[in-house]
Amino acid sequence: MSFSRSAGKKIIKLLCLLISVGILWFNGNSFAKAAQEHHLDTGDTSISTTIDPPGTYDDPEELNTLNTLNRVTLQYEGDNGSLNGALRILITLTLIALAPTLIIMMTSFTRIIIVLHFTRAALNTQTAPPNQVLLGLALILTFFIMSPTITKINDTAIKPYEAGEMNTTEFIETAMVPLREFMYPQTQLKDVQLFMQIADLEWDGSLETIPSSVLVPSFMISELRTAFWIGFMIYIPFIIIDMVVASTLMSMGMMMLPPTTISMPFKILLFVLADGWALIIGQVVQTFY
């Protein structure tokens, strides 16, 4: 009985081996026929296994036609030049990345956002209005204030540059003129003198002799000083309300009650009755005119 079982196992193993060999033989013949039909027989060195070879060239003219979509070219002849599409996209993306810094440093954005932040802090409303609203309002007011400057840059620099009437260097110098004319009246003289002394430069008091590397940081310091002064003036009426509420609570013996809890509704009521947002925003915008 044991002999018949062992013989049966051997027969089953032999059948499985024969079936596996048959499958391999069938697949091998099928692959060989397919290779002959499509000329993929790697044993023949005269037939390439690559249907479409990668870009090859015999002379510079053929090389110029390869990978035309992935090339970055720059043509320069005398004072005139041209850039291909890939390089223009790269420069555009770089300018977009630098745009927030330029908006903060060379426009009215800094003063506006600081004043709005002081207003919210004085009201003690924590996150109302939220940061997104303050940033959006500051950007809208910045574009409103800077619209004459932007229009002048577009007329004197961007349009002539697109028409090919000036090169890149002339475009940058011409575009900086309206920005410098905007920053100079908002900059205090002592800030300009400070950076001129640090840079060891002589200044005759005119805008033309101030380098942009001096005018921009001087403008930033002046904007911070002006914004903090406006914020201090905004704080004064709200501090008075806090003092009145705190003294009232102490006289009533309610020393454990936080004064800010009682003063905040009165601050909001005073701010609404005085039309505070229109008053503050209007006065801030008028400081640039």
Side-chain angles (χ1 to χ4, degrees), residues 3-28:
F3 175 78
S4 60
R5 287 182 179 179
S6 61
K9 291 181 180 179
K10 291 181 179 180
I11 293 174
I12 292 174
K13 291 181 180 179
L14 181 61
L15 290 176
C16 293
L17 179 61
L18 292 176
I19 292 173
S20 301
V21 171
I23 292 173
L24 294 175
W25 177 81
F26 178 77
N27 291 336

Side-chain angles (χ1 to χ4, degrees), residues 241-266:
I241 294 177
D242 287 334
M243 294 175 63
V244 171
V245 172
S247 61
T248 304
L249 292 177
M250 291 185 64
S251 63
M252 296 176 63
M254 299 180 181
M255 293 178 293
M256 301 300 294
L257 183 63
T260 55
T261 304
I262 305 301
S263 63
M264 187 176 66
F266 290 99

